[in-house]
Amino acid sequence: MSGVSFLRRVSLHGFRGSLSRSKSNEPQPEMDQPPSQQPLVLPKTQTVLLLHAARQPYDLTEDYPVPELRDDHEVLVRTRAIGLNPVDWKAPELGGDIVHQRQSSRLKVLVISTDYRDLRKSTYQHYVVGLDYNTVRLPPTLSYEEGSTLGVAFVAAALSLGVCMGLDFSSILDGPDLYTLLRQLPSDVFAADIRDECLNSTRSHERAQSGDWLAVWGGSSTSANLTIQLARLAGLRTIAVADTAKHGLRLTHHRSVRPDLLVDSHDPARAVAVIRANTNAKGGGRLRFAIDTRGKESAGWLAQALSGDSVQHGKDSATTGAPPSPPGTPDESSAANSDDGSESSSSLTSSAHLIGLTGLPKERVTECVVYHTVPIKLFHEVPAVGRALVEWLERLLARGLVLPPDIIDVERGLGSVNQGLDRMRRGEISGGKLVVRVD
Ligand SMILES: NC(=O)c1ccc[n+]([C@@H]2O[C@H](COP(=O)([O-])OP(=O)(O)OC[C@H]3O[C@@H](n4cnc5c(N)ncnc54)[C@H](OP(=O)(O)O)[C@@H]3O)[C@@H](O)[C@H]2O)c1
């Protein structure tokens, strides 16, 4: 443990000082000198991992240019640790040190990269460009490794809860009310493919509130971990569906992700029956919100759970064949907007809401369940959203209200990324994160 602290301290201080360029292609060694006296020397080139074709391993490549900053919102970060993502490793995340920005500062940070198009922001390199509104200051209590585990999952969780479900975080360390924030922005800030999800998918009277139930299928995942942490802070009652043989003890004893109800995923029909039995009127209220982290099949089971009695009784159009996402348009017969944009409460029905992180069912189980995809690009395309989430995460981490997921193992060096991804493909990493330490 003290070794980690020592590394962290040296790393943090190692890059303080003036900025200049050297001809070396290696990251500069860290020396145990007072930070203010050590000049910062950035190399011109670096070592990176390149992907030359789909389904190929990454290629360790030297003499690749260190990326240049283009505007005042960009910072250059020296990578220290990378959290690998299982299926979609287009969006890895990292902890590192800011080594170059217009307004000079040296900080230990988490860079959350959701922008796959800009190679300068790709994580598998020693020096990475981050946007300041996507870069989170890490408190001294967190290591680079811990920091690298939680960024994308936090963003996915916060947008699922705050945008798709309309949950207001303002009572938790002055967090964002994303539902309101989005409606205060000009509508052209939203890319066409997410505008409906951002503005029209959940009506104001349907917004999630403290006391509502939320079911999360794939309860062992990192995304579920952050989702349940945020949901619990906001007072939701949580149901985690997971392989209880693998994860039961850990989840039921976990300080921050212990769900109100843990349901075994082995028999999905039984899991749906258990959820329904516990969230009917007798169990304290209907289930209206669910998030799936596994795929369209389990998302289909969640849709069944959300449909409540209606499917059993055959009241709804179970096989409409309609495209799944996003229906979202307010139902004129059931929602009447008043002048201030709120909806009159008379004769309003409330839809249920299913968010698929990895896919949604092909067919609609019932018209009453609205399907959502997470508008993840909001985070890097709309600075007001990125900044609100980043600043809130800084406060949550500093106060220990959000904890990083478990680290299953740590690999060493960029060259070990392929091996790490293979371990994930083989299913060896479960219930936490595999991290690559880059020094
Ligand atoms: N749409 C978005 O914006 C967005 C954002 C974030 C994540 N995602 C997606 O959400 C999903 C979950 O991401 P995550 O980072 O939360 O996942 P994760 O924590 O890395 O892993 C999730 C779970 O998948 C299972 N698993 C591990 N290796 C596997 C393998 N080889 N094959 C099948 N299952 C395996 C394990 O559960 P068990 O041990 O219980 O089987 C593991 O706990 C991914 O598909 C990711 O791409 C989407």
Side-chain angles (χ1 to χ4, degrees), residues 86 88 220 222-223 246-247 293 357-358 424-425 429-431:
D88 181 359
S220 68
T222 315
S223 313
K246 258 177 160 175
H247 304 290
T293 75
L357 261 58
T358 313
M424 292 200 300
R425 280 189 202 98
I429 309 302
S430 165

Side-chain angles (χ1 to χ4, degrees), residues 84-89 91 93 114 116 149 152-153 155-157 159-160 218-225 241-243 246-247 250 265 292-295 356-359 373-377 405 422-434:
L84 302 185
N85 282 322
V87 186
D88 181 359
W89 47 87
E93 51 205 303
T114 51
Y116 316 132
T149 62
V152 175
V155 173
L159 293 179
S160 299
S220 68
S221 70
T222 315
S223 313
N225 178 312
V241 186
D243 180 341
K246 258 177 160 175
H247 304 290
R250 184 179 62 84
S265 59
D292 178 78
T293 75
R294 299 226 62 148
L357 261 58
T358 313
T373 51
V374 188
I376 198 87
K377 62 167 81 164
D422 283 343
R423 290 181 66 188
M424 292 200 300
R425 280 189 202 98
R426 292 196 296 268
E428 289 175 25
I429 309 302
S430 165
K433 279 293 221 183
L434 179 62

